[in-house]
Amino acid sequence: MRRAIGVAMRRARSVTEAPDDTIGATRQAGGSVRNPMRKTRWLNVSFAENLKISRCIGRRDYDTAIQLIRRGLNNSKQDAQGLHMIAMCHCSAGQDEAAIRAADQALAYDPQCFGAIQTLVRVYVKRQQHDMAARYVRLGLEHFPAPLPEPPR
């Protein structure tokens, strides 16, 4: 297990992305294809930090995950995806007010952040505020992500 993680970390360090961040798929140095749906870069943290965040979320240690995500946000406060991840952690921890604040911040930076819209719908349905949930469902339908292109054969 440790050997597999070490190999994955070495591969992640050796991969360099193409300089442009367009919607079209770009091939990385390691031969893998970058996600064409991703318009913005994720958190500015290392692969090891991403593993720690994933492990904390998997173990339901949301407070530690939020701290690690915030550490990655120190470089760029306008990271809608990072703020969405914080909102998702707050929602899973049952902290609805904090989830709403973080998701609203994410939408302030990127009004098309579909994950933040989903989190807001989830929170408002849980609180039985169906009129607010319906408002964000309509917004989500307006900004529904395009399907991924067919893989090459």
Side-chain angles (χ1 to χ4, degrees):
M1 178 71 170
R2 285 185 181 178
R3 184 169 184 253
I5 292 173
V7 169
M9 289 175 60
R10 281 193 298 279
R11 283 185 187 158
R13 280 189 223 126
S14 67
V15 171
T16 58
E17 290 192 13
D20 65 356
D21 199 22
T22 59
I23 296 175
T26 56
R27 188 156 299 277
Q28 296 175 336
S32 61
V33 176
R34 198 174 100 214
N35 183 354
M37 290 292 297
R38 198 168 97 190
K39 295 179 188 176
T40 58
R41 298 184 194 281
W42 287 89
L43 291 173
N44 191 15
V45 295
S46 66
F47 181 75
E49 287 291 311
N50 276 326
L51 281 177
K52 286 180 189 176
I53 292 168
S54 298
R55 199 172 331 142
C56 289
I57 291 172
R59 292 180 181 163
R60 298 176 190 221
D61 183 10
Y62 300 114
D63 293 331
T64 306
I66 290 169
Q67 289 174 355
L68 291 170
I69 295 167
R70 284 197 195 282
R71 190 180 325 157
L73 285 176
N74 284 339
N75 298 330
S76 170
K77 297 287 185 191
Q78 297 182 357
D79 187 357
Q81 294 297 328
L83 290 168
H84 158 248
M85 290 173 63
I86 289 174
M88 193 175 63
C89 288
H90 281 304
C91 179
S92 298
Q95 303 164 350
D96 294 343
E97 288 298 322
I100 291 171
R101 279 194 308 271
D104 282 338
Q105 269 185 308
L107 287 175
Y109 295 128
D110 180 12
Q112 297 181 358
C113 182
F114 190 73
I117 295 169
Q118 277 183 314
T119 303
L120 284 169
V121 169
R122 200 172 287 134
V123 169
Y124 285 126
V125 166
K126 187 167 74 171
R127 295 172 127 201
Q128 296 185 356
Q129 294 178 340
H130 300 294
D131 55 335
M132 289 296 290
R135 175 180 165 217
Y136 284 105
V137 166
R138 283 190 291 276
L139 183 65
L141 289 173
E142 291 173 12
H143 301 295
F144 194 75
L148 291 174
E150 287 292 321
R153 295 181 192 246

